[in-house]
Every structure is written in C-alpha cells, then in structure tokens.
Amino acid sequence: MARAALPADSTALARRTLLEGVGAEVAASFPGITRLGGQIVAALYLAEGARSMDELSAELGRSKSNIFANLRGLEAAGIVEHHRLPGARHDRYRLRGKYPDVVIGAYVARLRRVVADKRALVRRSREILGDARGPEANALRAKLDALGGTYDRFAELFELLPAMDGPLDLEAIIDGLPRVALDALVAVVRKALGLSSQLSRRAGASGR
C-alpha cells in the first residue's frame, strides 16, 4: 500500500498541532484561561522575540479583544509579561521564562495558593461549627478534621520547597538529583499509586 502523501505544508501543520496542544494543556491547568491563551503561550515560545497584540491577533486569527483578555489572564498567572520600548506606542509581550518551565512554575504557585485557601476554608468552617453536637455535626467535624489534616500535609511539602515566583526548571532538578534519591522518589510514588504491588504480581505471573 502506498504511503499517504504529506500535507502540502507540513511545517504549518506541525506548528498548528503544537499551538492546539499547548492551548488545551494551559486551558486545562489554569481556570479562566482559554485554549486561545494556551495558543498565545505557544506562539510566544515559537517567536524569535516579543510580540505585539496586533501581531498575535494576525498570527492566531483572533480578535484583539480576545487576545487582550487572555494576555491579562496569562499575566495574572505569572506566565506572560509585557514591556514597552522607548518611543513605542504599544506594549509587547513575552513569556516570563523558558517554556515549559514558566508554566510549571505558575502551576506550582497556583497549587500553593489553592492549598492556603483550602486550609483557611476548613478553619472557617470549623470555627462556624464550633461546639455543635449531634450526629450530623459530629460527622461534619470528622470530615473537616480529616480534610484539614490532608491540606496541612500538603502545606508541609510546600514549606520544604523554596519560595519562588517564576519558572521552575524541573529538568535541572531531576538532573541534579542523585540516582539513589530519584529511585527512592519513584518508589514512593509507585507505592502511593499502588503500582508496586501490581508490578510484583505481574512479575510473579510471568515467572510461572
């Protein structure tokens, strides 16, 4: 069977595929940012330099108002920043750091805020509940205590990490970990996900 012919412009297709993939990734990770916002991230990553709103609008085929709204969201998330050259009339936009480091850093910062907010929410709910008694109140108190304990553990983990406001280079972190530490981390994750026992059972079955 003959191989299917490649698209007339495979470069354009590859670029569009990347734009759409990053668009979906960013939209799924950051509430309030649409697929277009993620496509802006990809476009800025592929660009040789900063881009104006007009340039992004023309490249992505979307209105300047939509581009502007998403740029505001990306700036609020700490992914994009703007600057204006001396004598220029319009701002230009760029990523705050390398991609995907800048998105990873913004996501970790968002998780920190989520954990802090949820700890505060549990405390407020517990204070409102006070010394109420009865089956329903007791059940709610137990749930709040359990939830608070979980978020406290998450907070302990974040406290071990340095405070940061910007890109997070996971590649450098992984490369800098001793192999024994990386293996131990992988083992802990596998155990938490229940994968170790699954692998053991498969190994035992294959050895029969």
Side-chain angles (χ1 to χ4, degrees), residues 100-135:
D101 302 3
V102 65
V103 173
I104 294 171
Y107 189 72
V108 171
R110 177 175 173 269
L111 286 180
R112 283 182 184 270
R113 292 192 297 271
V114 168
V115 169
D117 289 346
K118 294 303 180 290
R119 293 180 78 195
L121 174 63
V122 170
R123 286 195 297 269
R124 289 199 304 273
S125 300
R126 190 68 171 77
E127 289 170 0
I128 292 171
L129 182 61
D131 296 327
R133 289 290 180 264

Side-chain angles (χ1 to χ4, degrees), residues 174-205:
I174 293 172
D175 289 344
L177 283 175
R179 183 68 198 187
V180 64
L182 186 58
D183 289 343
L185 176 61
V186 171
V188 169
V189 172
R190 287 186 178 279
K191 182 177 180 180
L193 296 176
L195 295 178
S196 297
S197 57
Q198 295 177 23
L199 292 174
S200 298
R201 286 196 297 270
R202 290 175 185 171

Side-chain angles (χ1 to χ4, degrees), residues 13-179:
L13 178 58
R15 185 183 184 89
R16 173 52 55 184
T17 299
L18 181 65
L19 289 172
E20 292 178 353
V22 175
E25 166 216 337
V26 173
S29 302
F30 297 90
I33 298 177
T34 69
R35 283 175 178 258
L36 175 58
Q39 291 171 4
I40 291 172
V41 171
L44 292 176
Y45 166 67
L46 294 174
E48 294 299 326
R51 286 287 184 265
S52 69
M53 193 164 58
D54 287 347
E55 289 169 334
L56 290 169
S57 176
E59 179 179 351
L60 298 174
R62 302 295 292 273
S63 70
K64 286 191 287 186
S65 60
N66 278 339
I67 296 290
F68 179 71
N70 278 277
L71 284 170
R72 290 287 298 273
L74 291 168
E75 284 191 283
I79 298 173
V80 165
E81 62 185 8
H82 72 274
H83 70 286
R84 184 174 297 189
L85 297 174
R89 296 179 56 192
H90 302 291
D91 290 334
R92 299 184 69 80
Y93 298 85
R94 61 193 174 197
L95 298 179
R96 286 189 65 197
K98 293 190 304 179
Y99 176 84
D101 302 3
V102 65
V103 173
I104 294 171
Y107 189 72
V108 171
R110 177 175 173 269
L111 286 180
R112 283 182 184 270
R113 292 192 297 271
V114 168
V115 169
D117 289 346
K118 294 303 180 290
R119 293 180 78 195
L121 174 63
V122 170
R123 286 195 297 269
R124 289 199 304 273
S125 300
R126 190 68 171 77
E127 289 170 0
I128 292 171
L129 182 61
D131 296 327
R133 289 290 180 264
E136 185 176 355
N138 293 338
L140 178 57
R141 183 176 294 103
K143 292 286 187 181
L144 290 173
D145 289 345
L147 186 60
T150 298
Y151 281 117
D152 286 344
R153 296 295 299 276
F154 292 160
E156 289 174 9
L157 174 61
F158 282 124
E159 287 172 1
L160 295 175
L161 299 174
M164 56 190 169
D165 178 25
L168 177 61
D169 191 343
L170 278 185
E171 187 176 5
I173 293 173
I174 293 172
D175 289 344
L177 283 175
R179 183 68 198 187

